[in-house]
Amino acid sequence: MVRAAVLPAVGAPLEITEIELPDPGPGQVRVRLAAAGVCHSDLSLSDGTMRVPVPAVLGHEGAGTVVSVGEGVTGLVPGAGVVLNWAPSCGSCHACSLGEVWLCANALSGSAGVYARTADGTDLHPGLNVAAFAEETVVPVSCTLPLPDGIPLTDAALLGCAVLTGYGAVHHSAQVRPGETVAVFGVGGVGLSALQAARIAGASTIVAVDVSPEKEELARAAGATEYVVASENTARQIRALTGKQGVDVAVECVGRAVTIRTAWESTRRGGRTTVVGIGGKDQQVTFNALELFHWGRTLSGCVYGNSDPARDLPILAEHVRAGRLDLGSLVTERIALEGIPAAFDNMLAGKGGRALIVF
């Protein structure tokens, strides 16, 4: 029996309770969590913006130590450190055949299965495959990545989602080039990662935008050269900071229609807007045909930073070891499982960066 945060139903409060984990079966690994990040996607799952089978144990950004392995697992032994990969690619669907593993059609198929039970025998699903809001979890070996050398296990949890997403949005989706100007909308865990990624890419002007004035220090520490408190004048302010042209690239990490529209309006003619934030179906963004033609901007979605975790994790680790990427600075609060609801409330209120559950 291990303690976990269980979502009993969509929209219901999380319940901190004991669950029963089975021994790992063929091709599976049991992992003792060292830390798990609280991501906005977890909030979206709990309130129904994104759908997963329930009851479920949420949490998808985590790292820990292998406790035991099932039959057929090679290359992992008890005591090995791993980063959880919540979106493993199948390698055989159409997207995977194109090398677009971040769009794998089968990446979340594991969420439909039963992986554990509550003390009263209720079946539990692993939210986004890995169920990281628990002291321990059992996952397919495909949901693990070796812990890179020189990376503290607790900090490594952030590599599993926030950093892969924010870094990938800048380097893979937007493909920011040295000297370009960048605006990042939303200074949470993903936004802070995107700001650091823009600095690593050699961006000249880096504008951070958020509703909270209190996040300016966080943003500037991550690489922002300018800070704008979101308002109806945001696009105008950004153009004023960039010679009245607008930025080359805008990265939207909020998932709200008004923010997406503002990010698009903040880019120069011919600029690029990458949407990372996950919004609800009610968030409708509208454009007229003439402005699409006139501005010649590109608007693109971005899933998981368009990243291949197996390829990108070693690259991120090298940035960490070289001091270019600071994982610890993304964390503004370290909590226990009981602190998850308050972390959700802080997200809704626009407070802080990443909350990290430390076991």
Side-chain angles (χ1 to χ4, degrees):
M1 303 293 287
V2 300
R3 295 175 70 247
V6 175
L7 178 69
V10 172
L14 291 178
E15 298 176 355
I16 310 303
T17 185
E18 288 196 333
I19 66 171
E20 182 178 354
L21 280 178
D23 292 330
Q28 292 184 322
V29 180
R30 183 164 179 151
V31 178
R32 180 177 299 114
L33 273 295
V38 182
C39 178
H40 201 281
S41 296
D42 298 308
L43 178 59
S44 296
L45 292 167
S46 70
D47 66 17
T49 300
M50 297 168 61
R51 293 285 183 176
V52 292
V54 290
V57 175
L58 303 183
H60 61 281
E61 181 183 87
T65 304
V66 174
V67 175
S68 56
V69 301
E71 182 183 350
V73 173
T74 59
L76 282 180
V77 296
V82 292
V83 177
L84 296 181
N85 176 16
W86 62 271
S89 56
C90 70
S92 58
C93 70
H94 181 64
C96 287
S97 72
L98 297 174
E100 298 173 351
V101 298
W102 53 91
L103 298 179
C104 175
N106 302 306
L108 297 181
S109 60
S111 296
V114 172
Y115 94 112
R117 290 179 172 80
T118 62
D120 65 5
T122 301
D123 290 343
L124 290 173
H125 301 279
L128 293 187
N129 287 326
V130 297
F133 287 173
E135 294 171 329
E136 296 185 11
T137 188
V138 174
V139 298
V141 68
S142 61
C143 286
T144 64
L145 295 163
L147 176 71
D149 292 339
I151 308 299
L153 192 56
T154 301
D155 290 350
L158 302 164
L159 295 172
C161 183
V163 181
L164 273 170
T165 301
Y167 180 92
V170 168
H171 285 265
H172 302 320
S173 180
Q175 298 182 7
V176 174
R177 298 181 290 268
E180 288 194 309
T181 55
V182 177
V184 175
F185 290 74
V187 183
V190 173
L192 288 168
S193 299
L195 288 169
Q196 291 201 48
R199 173 176 46 76
I200 291 170
S204 54
T205 299
I206 304 174
V207 185
V209 183
D210 199 275
V211 296
S212 172
E214 288 75 24
K215 290 189 179 182
E216 180 171 0
E217 184 177 349
L218 270 177
R220 289 190 181 275
T225 61
E226 309 288 345
Y227 191 82
V228 173
V229 178
S231 72
E232 61 183 15
N233 296 317
T234 296
R236 188 179 298 113
Q237 288 178 269
I238 290 175
R239 287 195 296 271
L241 292 169
T242 54
K244 299 184 180 180
Q245 296 300 309
V247 290
D248 296 301
V249 170
V251 180
E252 199 275 353
C253 303
V254 180
R256 295 182 63 237
V258 65
T259 315
I260 294 169
R261 176 74 203 198
T262 302
W264 189 79
E265 292 176 354
S266 299
T267 60
R268 64 169 174 83
R269 196 175 186 189
R272 311 178 310 273
T273 300
T274 290
V275 178
V276 180
I278 301 172
K281 293 180 180 179
D282 61 325
Q283 296 293 313
Q284 298 292 318
V285 189
T286 60
F287 306 90
N288 67 59
L290 181 60
E291 65 179 331
L292 289 173
F293 160 77
H294 172 76
W295 289 104
R297 295 165 173 149
T298 300
L299 177 69
S300 61
C302 176
V303 178
Y304 202 7
N306 292 9
S307 294
D308 178 346
R311 174 199 66 197
D312 293 335
L313 198 63
I315 296 171
L316 294 175
E318 182 54 36
H319 285 310
V320 174
R321 289 190 292 264
R324 293 184 292 267
L325 183 59
D326 184 357
L327 299 178
S329 67
L330 306 179
V331 179
T332 53
E333 187 179 19
R334 295 176 185 267
I335 61 174
L337 284 172
E338 289 80 3
I340 299 173
F344 283 169
D345 290 341
N346 285 338
M347 282 183 191
L348 291 171
K351 296 180 180 178
R354 201 48 133 214
L356 188 68
I357 305 162
V358 180
F359 294 94

